[in-house]
Amino acid sequence: MNLDWMIALPPILLALLAGLFTWGVTALGASLIFFFKNINRKVLDAMLGFAAGIMIAASIWSLLLPAIGQVEESGAFWQVIFGFLAGGVFLWGLDKVIPHMHLFGKKAEGVKTSWHRSILLVSAITLHNIPEGLAVGVAFGALAINPSPAVFAAAVGLAIGIGLQNFPEGTAVSAPLYREGMSRGKAFMYGQFSGAVEPVAAVIGALLVSQMSAILPFALAFAAGAMIFVVVEELIPESQAAENTDMATLMTMVGFVVMMSMDVLLG
């Protein structure tokens, strides 16, 4: 299959399309609320574990390893270290400032607000969709520096992986809202809206890398650090909060293998 015409497209356009794809998969996950009266907690925990595994593998194979490869000749490994830690600190800062509530939490975090629980739940998922969108944007932005089939395939693989883990996130937002008495339509709208930030973040990531190629190693590591922060701070604890720890752990491993295999096969 000749991909030259796709690789020739502006990286920012490709990042936008990829961001819209990941948002669409979020909406697809949220749409499950139209077909099921209730989503079993065990299923939700398994889905969250799967999402965590995908994000961990994507952070390593799609972001950190390419970042390290970028600095091998220059020896500027500090860019990767600094970028990775900066990504975590960035998400930590947002976590402290933006009002939100974890899916199975009872107390709002961030600055005090009068927002309803539904808005707080959407805010929580939106928070960790920011680094996912940035990661996709940075991956496609790298095409401005190296417009090769390998870079394109890696970016596509990352977008597919992020999309896969967005599916359970859409469900994880809409299902609790419906269970609390919200209509199916409204629960779906809130669930899919949590992914709306990804196309925006993707364009920002691609734009930054396209305009400032020197920051690519830092940007890749930054996205990885932000994603790992989300996994450790939110996805894994939430998937382990009930009595489904073994299932959630196994699904984390499955998600990891799926993303690792996808990256190896496409890369």
Side-chain angles (χ1 to χ4, degrees):
M1 181 178 180
N2 190 347
L3 300 176
D4 290 344
W5 69 273
M6 296 187 69
I7 297 173
L9 293 174
I12 295 174
L13 174 60
L14 291 172
L16 174 62
L17 294 175
L20 290 172
F21 163 75
T22 58
W23 180 12
V25 181
T26 304
L28 193 62
S31 71
L32 288 185
I33 204 65
F34 291 112
F35 305 100
F36 301 96
K37 290 183 177 181
N38 187 36
I39 307 294
N40 186 276
R41 176 61 189 270
K42 189 173 184 177
V43 173
L44 280 178
D45 288 344
M47 294 171 79
L48 289 172
F50 181 81
I54 286 210
M55 288 183 72
I56 294 171
S59 297
I60 297 171
W61 270 271
S62 300
L63 299 171
L64 282 177
L65 290 181
I68 293 170
Q70 289 284 324
V71 300
E72 277 182 340
E73 291 186 7
S74 66
F77 184 60
W78 63 268
Q79 292 187 46
V80 179
I81 297 174
F82 183 65
F84 183 79
L85 295 176
V89 170
F90 174 71
L91 258 291
W92 172 79
L94 291 182
D95 196 63
K96 295 298 181 184
V97 173
I98 298 178
H100 64 283
M101 180 182 291
H102 296 304
L103 294 175
F104 307 117
K106 297 180 179 180
K107 183 179 179 182
E109 299 181 13
V111 298
K112 291 184 178 180
T113 180
S114 58
W115 291 359
H116 293 298
R117 175 179 167 82
S118 56
I119 302 297
L120 292 169
L121 286 173
V122 174
S123 179
I125 300 297
T126 302
L127 259 178
H128 68 72
N129 279 341
I130 292 174
E132 294 167 14
L134 284 174
V136 170
V138 168
F140 280 100
L143 285 167
I145 303 166
N146 180 16
S148 69
V151 172
F152 177 77
V156 170
L158 177 61
I160 293 173
I162 295 296
L164 284 175
Q165 68 90 40
N166 274 0
F167 185 87
E169 289 182 354
T171 306
V173 175
S174 60
L177 294 178
Y178 176 67
R179 190 167 55 244
E180 291 177 5
M182 190 175 285
S183 69
R184 278 191 169 94
K186 199 169 182 181
F188 166 76
M189 288 304 296
Y190 276 114
Q192 64 83 29
F193 186 73
S194 65
V197 70
E198 291 200 10
V200 177
V203 168
I204 292 173
L207 184 61
L208 287 174
V209 172
S210 299
Q211 298 300 316
M212 297 179 285
S213 60
I215 71 166
L216 178 58
F218 173 87
L220 288 167
F222 181 94
M227 287 173 62
I228 290 296
F229 182 92
V230 168
V231 170
V232 177
E233 196 269 342
E234 183 173 347
L235 291 183
I236 289 179
E238 288 185 353
S239 70
Q240 299 281 327
E243 298 179 355
N244 306 311
T245 56
D246 289 343
M247 174 61 70
T249 301
L250 288 172
M251 288 305 294
T252 299
M253 297 176 70
V254 170
F256 186 94
V257 169
V258 167
M259 186 65 216
M260 177 179 66
S261 302
M262 191 183 308
D263 192 272
V264 171
L265 291 173
L266 290 177

